[in-house]
Amino acid sequence: MRVVFGRGRLAEVSSEARALGSRPLVVSGRHEAAAAERVAGELGDSLAGWIRQVAQHVPVASAAQAIAAARDGGADVVISIGGGSATGLAKAVAREVGLPVLAVPTTYAGSEMTPVWGQSDEGGKTTGRDERVLPRTVVYDPALTVSMPGELTAASGMNALAHAVESLYALDSTELSRSVAEEAIRALTDGLPDAVSRPDDLGARTGTLRGAWLAGWALGATTMGLHHKLAHLLGGRYRLWHAGVHSALLPQVTAFNAPSVGASLRSAARALGVAGPGLVARALFDLARRLGAPTALAELGLDRGALDEVSTVVAAATISNPRPLTEEAVARVLRQAYVGERPNPTPSCEAPPTATLRERSL
Ligand code: NAD
């Protein structure tokens, strides 16, 4: 995987694309039109097509349209310019047609760093891992992120933090993935307050995007647990705002797992600047509050009646989570996330991880 990172690097997208193929299909969302227009202009007649509409969780109908456009236009590379929705649609084409992906992320979602694909229909969201969807080249240009409004910056940043935190205590984490995750948390915690309060601060944008890159990498290197399972279910089945859901869930799932992952959370505590692992969940909650990111599922429009159904589905699923799950425990986490309860410090957090692998799931 090749990564190009820095201000103004959007200018290199067309030449990077030519290294992968000669007939690019561009995929971009509404807010990313200006950057996509510039790239499409540089590609000129070699452009195989341009999909200008993307949606969260890759609806199967959108995937089918993009796949048909790639085939009809004779595309041999897909360029995604946008957030996780644009990257996700490019991945759907890669998975079906086998084309290489060049991703140009404009949010902190991190999908560009993972071999994870997702697709949704009326029944909910399906995810899986497939090396074919991992982008071959990623071009990060912090200048593309200054247009993110504060609310999106905050929630998307919390989404990136969720990747790093869950990766930190994943049962298959390694020394390398843990140190990358710790660095991601540090970069995000340092960068986000200024990126939210001064959206055009390129220094803060650069540091935050670097954190999102590292968080996405850490996520791709490990197996996701309870947090991501809940986020996929809530986003895919109830069509809630993806980044907002991550933000509301993160402190509560961290508090739930904390008694089993004290050792892993020690590095999160260092990166967040709090005294110990028992304070990490509370620090994440306070950070979300300070950034103005969602802390309650209720504010995202979830019906309280859905909580029981989600608990039942999640408790019955095979999830690789460090703390064993029961339906009652999942229901408690969801109730706390629903109202946005500030987590209490976890006193028993110093216990060593209880590696209870319930099997790989996502
Ligand atoms: P998104 O891509 O839907 O973008 C959210 C909104 O922000 C959209 O309206 C978009 O047009 C706009 N936007 C994007 N960049 C902008 C910018 N720079 N300035 C202003 N507006 C901008 O949302 P997302 O949170 O980036 O991604 C969510 C999707 O990504 C979900 O479908 C999620 O499942 C997926 N995802 C997948 C993985 C993975 O590893 N497969 C990881 C993370 C997220």
Side-chain angles (χ1 to χ4, degrees):
M1 189 177 199
R2 178 173 160 75
V3 175
V4 176
F5 188 105
R7 297 175 204 176
R9 304 302 283 267
L10 178 69
E12 292 165 38
V13 170
S14 48
S15 60
E16 289 291 339
R18 276 192 282 275
L20 297 175
S22 56
R23 292 278 296 159
L25 173 75
V26 171
V27 174
S28 66
R30 195 161 52 90
H31 292 93
E32 304 89 70
E37 216 150 292
R38 177 171 163 187
V39 170
E42 283 168 14
L43 294 168
D45 291 343
S46 68
L47 195 65
W50 184 358
I51 309 275
R52 298 160 197 255
Q53 214 167 17
V54 301
Q56 288 203 125
H57 309 299
V58 191
V60 284
S62 310
Q65 259 175 12
I67 289 161
R71 289 197 167 121
D72 294 349
D76 58 5
V77 53
V78 194
I79 304 174
S80 64
I81 302 174
S85 298
T87 315
L89 192 55
K91 285 178 165 184
V93 175
R95 185 164 158 253
E96 186 67 27
V97 191
L99 305 187
V101 174
L102 187 165
V104 185
T106 61
T107 68
Y108 305 131
S111 174
E112 69 283 353
M113 278 289 136
T114 80
V116 178
W117 57 267
Q119 234 173 71
S120 63
D121 57 23
E122 318 76 54
K125 183 169 179 179
T126 312
T127 61
R129 293 176 86 98
D130 186 335
E131 289 303 320
R132 282 179 306 173
V133 310
L134 183 69
R136 295 271 200 86
T137 303
V138 180
V139 177
Y140 286 106
D141 185 341
L144 297 177
T145 64
V146 299
S147 52
M148 266 197 282
E151 190 192 16
L152 177 60
T153 302
S156 194
M158 291 303 295
N159 183 6
L161 272 168
H163 298 334
V165 170
E166 189 147 274
S167 169
L168 207 50
Y169 59 62
L171 294 171
D172 55 359
S173 71
T174 61
E175 202 167 328
L176 177 62
S177 69
R178 286 191 295 273
S179 54
V180 171
E182 178 177 344
E183 183 51 27
I185 296 171
R186 186 169 292 111
L188 289 162
T189 311
D190 285 352
L192 275 168
D194 286 342
V196 169
S197 62
R198 297 194 303 269
D200 54 359
D201 179 336
L202 264 173
R205 289 294 188 180
T206 302
T208 308
L209 189 61
R210 184 172 155 274
W213 164 21
L214 300 179
W217 184 90
L219 178 75
T222 50
T223 301
M224 297 178 238
L226 175 63
H227 175 95
H228 281 81
K229 182 70 187 176
L230 285 172
H232 289 163
L233 191 62
L234 289 166
R237 191 174 291 198
Y238 302 97
R239 309 280 160 193
L240 302 182
W241 176 29
H242 177 81
V245 167
H246 274 282
S247 181
L249 286 175
L250 178 62
Q252 311 303 340
V253 179
T254 307
F256 169 73
N257 279 325
S260 300
V261 296
S264 307
L265 287 185
R266 218 167 278 144
S267 58
R270 274 197 303 271
L272 283 159
V274 291
L279 295 170
V280 167
R282 175 171 275 212
L284 290 167
F285 183 91
D286 292 347
L287 178 65
R289 273 258 169 96
R290 189 150 62 97
L291 297 175
T295 50
L297 294 172
E299 66 184 280
L300 301 173
L302 181 68
D303 189 313
R304 193 175 189 116
L307 299 186
D308 286 346
E309 185 190 17
V310 176
S311 316
T312 308
V313 172
V314 169
T318 45
I319 300 175
S320 170
N321 194 66
R323 186 170 172 192
L325 301 172
T326 61
E327 189 167 336
E328 197 196 335
V330 177
R332 195 170 54 247
V333 169
L334 277 170
R335 277 197 303 275
Q336 288 159 339
Y338 186 79
V339 295
E341 206 170 286
R342 187 177 186 229
N344 288 321
T346 315
S348 56
C349 209
E350 299 300 326
T354 58
T356 313
L357 183 59
R358 287 184 59 191
E359 215 185 286
R360 189 184 173 87
S361 65
L362 296 168

